[in-house]
Amino acid sequence: MPFSVTARFSQALLDAAVRQGVTAPDALRQALALGKRVPLPLQEDLWRLFCDSAQDPLASLRLGVDLQAGHLDIVGMLLLSCDTLGDGLEVLTEYAPIVGDNARFETSSGASECLLRYLPDYSVCREQRVEAVMAAVVNLARWMTNGRFRPMRVLFMHRPRADVVDYAAMLGCEVRFSQTVDGMAMDLPTLQLGLIQAGPQLHAQLKQLADQMLASLRQVSVSAQVQQLIRAHPRWGKERIGEQ
């Protein structure tokens, strides 16, 4: 089974593409109509259409700014039920694969700042997709803290696709390009900012459901790998399959 993306995130991308005059593939519309996860190949076809039709070099950045918590499925709801921004980062690093299981986040902290790294495992329209994700993270963090969140800087591995000043204006912070990582740097006190949240009881219930969804995705992923190995190496025994 290929990687997949939650239907709500795919719908947000489709809506943005349609505003640019794109006609969505029937297979994608059918998948969204069923409300199920969208296979990654369909999602990538839509990204190609979106990027090819975009007249604005910052179209993907604007898409990310427009994303709302609901577009992240249950991960967005979990974020809304966290107490602090630091708690939200923990949710993001653990459950981001529910949104799209071919990308993840990691955090690391130094003496005065925390770095949130974005680690995607895709190549189609990579620059635009990374910009959309980082813009969404910055905007949602700002919204959930009632505008108090101010990142120190946003980092991109690729070169700027427009004037750097325009990036900084949209993201509200310094933006650096040609870096070794894609990510966002924050000062440590920022992690203590309180969020708009719905309470610990709802958070516990949502976390339980998210754990089930994450386990299901991992189980499907392992099963698919086993089936692929068996097809490729029919003479291998179960011990060698298990080692792989």
Side-chain angles (χ1 to χ4, degrees):
M1 181 176 178
F3 290 118
S4 59
V5 181
T6 182
R8 290 184 176 89
F9 185 87
S10 298
Q11 185 65 58
L13 175 58
L14 174 60
D15 292 343
V18 168
R19 289 194 294 269
Q20 294 181 172
V22 170
T23 300
D26 290 338
L28 178 61
R29 289 190 177 277
Q30 292 171 5
L32 290 176
L34 294 174
K36 297 181 179 180
R37 295 183 66 84
V38 175
L40 186 61
L42 289 180
Q43 177 85 357
E44 292 189 329
D45 286 344
L46 182 56
W47 268 111
R48 290 188 183 95
L49 291 172
F50 177 84
C51 294
D52 289 344
S53 65
Q55 300 297 316
D56 179 4
L58 295 181
S60 54
L61 205 68
R62 299 184 194 283
L63 166 63
V65 170
D66 288 340
L67 286 175
Q68 301 175 19
H71 292 129
L72 305 185
D73 210 295
I74 193 171
V75 179
M77 301 302 102
L78 262 176
L79 290 172
L80 292 180
S81 64
C82 289
D83 288 326
T84 67
L85 185 63
D87 294 336
L89 292 183
E90 291 182 7
V91 164
L92 192 61
T93 55
E94 185 171 0
Y95 297 106
I98 291 177
V99 181
D101 54 0
N102 65 327
R104 58 191 175 88
F105 289 91
E106 288 182 353
T107 59
S108 59
S109 296
S112 61
E113 65 182 60
C114 173
L115 176 65
L116 175 69
R117 295 188 298 274
Y118 181 52
L119 304 168
D121 185 19
Y122 50 67
S123 57
V124 174
C125 302
R126 188 187 189 282
E127 295 179 5
Q128 294 91 334
R129 292 161 79 176
V130 169
E131 289 183 5
V133 169
M134 294 313 303
V137 170
V138 171
N139 189 60
L140 286 172
R142 184 171 292 131
W143 179 79
M144 291 189 299
T145 58
N146 281 322
R148 291 174 294 159
F149 174 68
R150 291 290 186 274
M152 297 174 66
R153 56 191 171 273
V154 171
L155 311 173
F156 291 118
M157 297 176 67
H158 57 269
R159 296 176 62 84
R161 301 168 48 78
D163 195 312
V164 176
V165 174
D166 294 332
Y167 279 92
M170 289 189 65
L171 296 176
C173 66
E174 177 189 2
V175 183
R176 297 181 184 178
F177 294 88
S178 301
Q179 301 296 299
T180 58
V181 298
D182 294 305
M184 176 177 66
M186 303 153 281
D187 59 46
L188 293 181
T190 296
L191 302 182
Q192 302 304 316
L193 289 175
L195 303 185
I196 303 170
Q197 52 93 24
Q201 291 185 340
L202 179 59
H203 183 82
Q205 295 173 2
L206 290 170
K207 192 174 187 299
Q208 184 177 12
L209 180 57
D211 285 337
Q212 295 172 0
M213 294 176 67
L214 196 59
S216 177
L217 285 174
R218 289 171 176 165
Q219 183 177 7
V220 168
S221 176
V222 172
S223 175
Q225 293 178 48
V226 171
Q227 293 175 28
Q228 184 178 8
L229 284 171
I230 292 174
R231 288 194 297 268
H233 307 282
R235 296 185 180 180
W236 282 9
K238 61 181 182 181
E239 291 81 7
R240 191 169 183 183
I241 293 290
E243 290 175 359
Q244 293 297 314

